[in-house]
DNA sequence: GCACGTGTTCAAAACTGACG
DNA sequence: CGTCAGTTTTGAACACGTGC
């Protein structure tokens, strides 16, 4: 067993979580259609909470598989990156960064900002778990499907997708090795050009001087120095949506998105549920909730009011 | 020894403007 | 008019250092 064997095995087990319900919470069935509409509007607030529960449960699930026990065990390290590591004799330490996705939200909110420099041995993978309540807006949380991709591949896709000097700069974290643990920086960030057209043309001339490969992203000290000079000379803004999993254009993640949105749950695809529940046409929402989830128009309580 | 401020990171969502 | 990318605002956890 080496690092990649452990990762591969864990990926297989995680893939088997698809379809599994987590018995950590039950959301009661709304009694009326209006109740259901209100619930539909706020159900995404559960996402961060459920995300954490799912992360705990995934680790527990992995440790229940006998294949791992003789080599070590999976442990959470949150905060910290990655959030799950395999503690044992196998080096480099295999790691999993678990991200959860609630596909009725407007987009995948999880971001992935860690520097390419942290994945030199490709020892860390990213597991994305898409979940929904079993009855869309109520019931137990259920894992719809799962996607595991290498952390390095995500970091590379991100940097190649965003980096486009001088218009958009991806920057490595500062050298913070001298600082205490809580002040360490590990994240890349994205900056968007804010100067005038003339300034942009001028900046382009500078980039041209960097040579044929000057626009290709490199996390090296020398290249980062060039980027920092641009950042000092011209106006840039921090892009806070930088590195959202939804926007990275990673082939594996894009395929996963397609798969989830096309998955059928209670008579409609997840994509259709998403669109419906985020629309403002409450009459349509009511109709479909009644049709697919058998929620009544009015409760007796309401009639008595 | 503890309360509190600071730096860093993470995430959700409202809003804006362009584009077809 | 709806969609999408970009922008801004809001809220929070956590560890360290400082000052009382």
């Amino acid at each position: 067993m080496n690092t990649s064997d452990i990762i591969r095995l864990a990926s297989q087990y995680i893939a088997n979580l698809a379809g599994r319900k987590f018995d950590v919470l039950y959301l009661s069935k709304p009694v009326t259609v209006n109740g259901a509409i209100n619930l539909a509007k706020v159900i995404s607030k559960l996402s961060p909470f459920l995300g954490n529960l799912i992360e705990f449960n995934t680790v527990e699930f992995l440790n229940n598989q006998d294949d791992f026990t003789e080599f070590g065990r999976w442990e959470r390290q949150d905060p910290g990156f990655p959030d799950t590591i395999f503690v044992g004799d196998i080096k480099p330490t295999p790691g999993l960064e678990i991200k959860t996705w609630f596909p009725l939200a407007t987009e995948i909110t999880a971001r992935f900002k860690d520097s390419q420099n942290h994945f030199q041995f490709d020892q860390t993978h990213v597991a994305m778990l898409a979940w929904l309540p079993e009855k869309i807006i109520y019931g137990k949380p259920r894992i719809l499907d799962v996607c595991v991709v290498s952390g390095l591949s995500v970091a590379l896709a991100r940097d190649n997708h965003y980096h486009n000097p001088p218009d958009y700069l991806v920057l490595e974290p500062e050298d913070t090795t001298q600082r205490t643990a809580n002040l360490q920086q590990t994240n890349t960030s994205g900056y968007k050009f804010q100067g005038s057209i003339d300034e942009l043309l001028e900046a382009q001339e500078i980039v041209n001087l960097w040579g044929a490969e000057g626009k290709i992203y490199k996390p090296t000290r020398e290249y980062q120095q060039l980027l920092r000079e641009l950042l000092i000379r011209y106006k840039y803004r921090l892009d806070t949506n930088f590195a959202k999993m939804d926007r990275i254009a990673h082939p594996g993640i894009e395929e996963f998105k397609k798969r989830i949105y096309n998955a059928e749950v209670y008579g409609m695809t997840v994509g259709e549920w998403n669109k419906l529940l985020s629309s403002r046409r409450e009459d349509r929402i009511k109709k479909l909730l009644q049709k697919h989830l058998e929620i009544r128009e009015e409760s007796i309580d309401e009639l008595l009011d």
Side-chain angles (χ1 to χ4, degrees):
Chain A
M1 277 284 193
N2 60 27
T3 302
S4 64
D5 293 332
I6 294 283
I7 294 276
R8 203 174 312 119
L9 193 59
S11 304
Q12 281 168 16
Y13 279 122
I14 289 175
N16 288 338
L17 284 173
R20 196 185 161 99
K21 276 181 263 177
F22 276 133
D23 198 5
V24 289
L25 174 82
Y26 180 85
L27 276 168
S28 303
K29 178 174 176 173
V31 180
T32 66
V33 188
N34 283 330
I37 286 178
N38 288 334
L39 183 58
K41 282 180 191 156
V42 295
I43 194 155
S44 67
K45 312 277 189 206
L46 265 183
S47 189
F49 178 65
L50 252 299
N52 276 282
L53 290 183
I54 289 170
E55 285 171 26
F56 290 135
N57 275 269
T58 304
V59 173
E60 200 176 317
F61 171 78
L62 286 176
N63 281 327
N64 285 341
Q65 315 303 322
D66 295 336
D67 309 37
F68 292 115
T69 41
E70 61 175 300
F71 306 104
R73 59 182 283 111
W74 291 95
E75 282 181 18
R76 292 263 300 164
Q77 46 162 17
D78 192 19
F81 182 90
D83 49 32
T84 307
I85 52 171
F86 190 71
V87 179
D89 294 332
I90 291 167
K91 300 287 173 220
T93 305
L96 283 172
E97 175 69 14
I98 302 173
K99 305 270 189 195
T100 56
W101 171 30
F102 177 68
L104 298 184
T106 48
E107 66 181 322
I108 305 174
T109 52
R111 295 160 171 87
F112 190 88
K113 293 190 180 176
D114 271 69
S115 163
Q116 286 183 29
N117 291 335
H118 300 163
F119 307 109
Q120 282 157 15
F121 309 105
D122 212 14
Q123 75 279 39
T124 302
H125 282 230
V126 183
M128 285 197 71
L129 291 83
W131 70 274
L132 277 183
E134 52 177 330
K135 307 270 189 170
I136 317 283
I137 54 169
Y138 69 94
K140 290 176 187 173
R142 188 172 74 98
I143 303 296
L144 266 182
D145 206 346
V146 167
C147 163
V148 184
V149 291
S150 99
L152 180 64
S153 75
V154 178
L156 287 172
R158 174 197 65 212
D159 296 339
N160 293 333
H161 171 64
Y162 280 97
H163 190 60
N164 183 28
D167 184 54
Y168 198 104
L169 309 180
V170 173
L171 280 167
E172 293 292 312
E174 301 281 352
D175 181 0
T176 51
T177 45
Q178 303 302 310
R179 300 193 189 176
T180 52
N182 66 320
L183 300 179
Q184 290 294 324
Q185 299 175 7
T186 58
N187 283 4
T188 55
S189 46
Y191 286 90
K192 175 77 179 165
F193 194 83
Q194 298 291 282
S196 65
I197 302 279
D198 287 345
E199 287 166 327
L200 184 66
L201 292 172
E202 194 185 302
Q204 272 164 354
E205 291 302 318
I206 296 175
V207 172
N208 287 340
L209 298 175
W210 297 352
E213 305 223 314
K215 288 191 166 211
I216 296 173
Y217 187 74
K218 286 191 264 322
T220 60
R221 182 181 286 278
E222 302 74 44
Y223 189 72
Q224 293 293 314
Q225 188 54 45
L226 295 174
L227 297 180
R228 299 226 176 248
E229 281 166 23
L230 278 185
L231 194 68
I232 290 163
R233 191 171 310 199
Y234 301 98
K235 237 183 285 170
Y236 283 88
R237 67 156 184 93
L238 181 66
D239 175 10
T240 55
N241 278 323
F242 169 68
K244 269 190 180 163
M245 300 290 259
D246 220 333
R247 307 183 181 194
I248 280 176
H250 180 285
I253 295 170
E254 289 304 305
E255 197 199 321
F256 182 54
K257 279 164 63 178
K258 217 183 286 176
R259 205 160 75 225
I260 292 292
Y261 284 132
N262 288 332
E264 194 156 319
V265 197
Y266 284 92
M268 292 203 289
T269 66
V270 172
E272 286 166 337
W273 277 112
N274 177 313
K275 199 184 263 180
L276 173 76
L277 292 174
S278 61
S279 91
R280 285 170 300 279
R281 296 292 303 271
E282 294 202 352
D283 51 332
R284 286 188 201 163
I285 300 179
K286 282 182 185 177
K287 216 166 117 192
L288 283 162
L289 288 178
Q290 285 169 337
K291 180 177 164 197
H292 295 293
L293 300 180
E294 293 164 0
I295 292 168
R296 277 178 288 135
E297 175 65 57
E298 278 176 327
S299 74
I300 292 173
D301 286 353
E302 275 190 4
L303 293 173
L304 291 176
D305 271 342

